[in-house]
Each structure stands twice: as C-alpha cells, then as structure tokens.
Amino acid sequence: MANAKRSAANNTPLEVACPQCGKKVPWSSENTYRPFCNKRCQLIDFGAWADESHRIAGESSMDEADIETLLQQADRDAPLS
C-alpha cells in the first residue's frame, strides 16, 4: 500500500479509521490488529463475515438443489461407453 508508507518529510505513520468503531489508529507494524484498533473490533468484524452480515456482491452461490439438477443433467448428457 503506497499510501500507508511514511513520507520522508513526515515521519509519522499514516492514521486510518478502524473499520468497526471509527477510532483513528496508526497503520504501522506495531499495530498487530491493523486496520482495526484492537482484537475486539477485529473479532466483531470477523463474526459479521462468518454470519454473512458482510458479503461481497456477486451471484448467489448454488444450493444443493441446483447441484443435484446439474448432476442429473450431466448424467443424461454423458455418452454411453
């Protein structure tokens, strides 16, 4: 990340907002939880991904019924040997 590096003129690390609580935190190797301010915020965010509150936009994944339909279609289309 180019923006996260220290500049020669300014020797202070870049500060970013914690994605969970918004608190300003330094973006440095000393901050174990970056970009989060602490382990609590990191775990809250992880939990949101785990229960699918956070998700990346895109096509829905297939459910088991879709997979079964595709497998049945593949069986019908398979050449006999």
Side-chain angles (χ1 to χ4, degrees), residues 6-69:
R6 295 177 188 193
S7 68
N10 185 359
N11 200 22
T12 60
L14 175 71
E15 283 193 341
V16 296
C18 172
Q20 189 62 39
C21 71
K23 178 182 173 184
K24 290 286 188 183
V25 293
W27 185 275
S28 68
S29 58
E30 290 84 36
N31 181 0
T32 307
Y33 304 107
R34 72 176 177 234
F36 302 97
C37 63
N38 59 35
K39 188 170 183 91
R40 179 180 179 275
C41 283
Q42 185 184 49
L43 289 173
I44 290 170
D45 186 77
F46 179 69
W49 283 101
D51 76 7
E52 298 181 358
S53 296
H54 292 331
R55 60 192 105 164
I56 297 172
E59 291 183 28
S60 300
S61 60
M62 290 193 284
D63 63 14
E64 287 184 30
D66 294 332
I67 293 170
E68 287 298 322
T69 302

